[in-house]
Amino acid sequence: VPVACGGLRPLGAGVGEIKRMFVTAAARGRGHGRALLAELERRAREAGYDRVRLYTTEVLLEARALYADAGYHRIEMPNVDDRAEDIWLEKRL
């Protein structure tokens, strides 16, 4: 049974974006998010990216804690579709 999903896409020269990272509610708290993030970062390195970005929101406290623990830091990015609640994060690989 699938418990997590996520994607990776190019953003620009040397930069990839982690998209749609999600762990089902029943599977949370078991390390699946951390494992998925590590795998997406590995694939980003393999693809030649030296940085990855992702966005989350203020209300996703657990996700924000995971990303901070994994070395992501907040960056300023223009709002997309006036989504002021989005928080963009970046990590050098």
Side-chain angles (χ1 to χ4, degrees):
V1 173
V3 296
C5 66
L8 178 66
R9 73 175 186 141
L11 267 185
V15 182
E17 180 183 8
I18 292 175
K19 295 285 294 176
R20 308 281 190 254
M21 200 171 124
F22 180 80
V23 176
T24 62
R28 292 183 187 148
R30 299 182 186 163
H32 297 299
R34 190 170 305 277
L36 176 58
L37 184 59
E39 176 62 19
L40 291 168
E41 290 173 353
R42 184 191 68 74
R43 290 181 183 211
R45 281 186 207 91
E46 226 175 53
Y49 301 131
D50 60 1
R51 292 175 290 150
V52 286
R53 291 181 183 159
L54 56 82
Y55 70 87
T56 188
T57 65
E58 292 285 344
V59 298
L60 296 177
L61 300 177
E62 294 87 354
R64 289 176 45 213
L66 168 66
Y67 301 139
D69 191 49
Y72 286 78
H73 63 277
R74 191 172 187 156
I75 60 170
E76 292 302 318
M77 291 283 286
N79 289 339
V80 176
D81 299 327
D82 294 322
R83 292 177 48 115
E85 69 275 5
D86 290 347
I87 300 170
W88 279 91
L89 306 171
E90 182 177 271
K91 178 179 180 177
R92 289 205 171 272
L93 300 174

